[in-house]
Amino acid sequence: RCWPGDAGLLITFGLVVTRGTRQPRQNVAIYRQQPIARNKVIMRWLPHRGGALDYADWRLAHPDRPFPLIVAIGADPATMLAAVAPVPDTLSEYEFAGLLRGERTRLWHSNLTGLDAPAGAEILLEGFIHPGDTALEGPFGDHTGYYNAQAEFPVLTIERMSMRSNAIYHGSYM
């Protein structure tokens, strides 16, 4: 919790991995998440961002199927930098991270979601957004100096969490 008017706790530096239906690439981006239950977080992504676009594509193609995603907390610096870089939507942030580091990004494949996570991540959250599962998120103080208004966003149901031994939680202060 960063500011007195925040609605609750936040996951602030989770790398959210998604894949839509129109492109083979996986998108990696940072979206804040508000925990609302032991295994549920609200996924706050703006409609024009890669994860939200992947989710919208999925909903159109598979309206009755859950949308898979992974949240990786604590990855290598090149992957974290790639997740916030303005990478073209046709290029995976994993590929861009490989360019930055000078070697391929090491990935771990999730049999649960079918997605890939940074192999060295400290904490992994794997799960699905089920059709129609939304919740009211916010308000939260943002890096712009203002509080974001409350709005409805999809809810991720976490089905599996894994952690490295003595995992380090990475977060940011808004």
Side-chain angles (χ1 to χ4, degrees), residues 11-172:
I11 297 171
T12 56
F13 214 150
L15 280 66
V16 178
V17 181
T18 61
R19 180 176 25 234
T21 57
R22 291 192 277 162
Q23 299 180 50
R25 65 93 183 105
Q26 292 181 62
N27 185 72
V28 183
I30 297 172
Y31 307 111
R32 75 174 183 227
Q33 295 135 62
Q34 178 183 346
I36 57 172
R38 183 177 171 274
N39 69 329
K40 292 182 180 281
V41 296
I42 303 170
M43 187 66 55
R44 187 185 203 284
W45 49 32
L46 300 178
H48 62 283
R49 301 290 188 192
L53 293 172
D54 286 350
Y55 177 66
D57 288 346
W58 181 274
R59 289 272 62 87
L60 287 173
H62 311 289
D64 299 324
R65 287 178 42 199
F67 178 68
L69 63 85
I70 291 176
V71 178
I73 299 171
D76 65 279
T79 303
M80 290 193 295
L81 182 59
V84 298
V87 176
D89 198 39
T90 55
L91 179 69
S92 172
E93 285 77 9
Y94 289 141
E95 293 170 315
F96 186 66
L99 292 170
L100 291 174
R101 118 172 31 81
E103 63 183 56
R104 291 180 78 114
T105 300
R106 291 183 322 112
L107 299 173
W108 171 83
H109 184 74
S110 166
N111 291 328
L112 178 66
T113 64
L115 298 168
D116 299 320
E122 298 286 326
I123 302 167
L124 288 179
L125 309 175
E126 303 171 71
F128 299 88
I129 297 172
H130 295 278
D133 194 1
T134 64
L136 191 61
E137 191 265 2
F140 286 104
D142 207 347
H143 63 278
T144 60
Y146 297 94
Y147 282 91
N148 295 131
Q150 288 184 314
E152 289 281 325
F153 287 96
V155 173
L156 165 64
T157 299
I158 300 163
E159 294 193 10
R160 183 164 55 198
M161 180 173 100
S162 53
M163 298 171 47
R164 294 170 56 97
S165 179
N166 299 313
I168 298 169
Y169 176 79
H170 288 210
S172 65

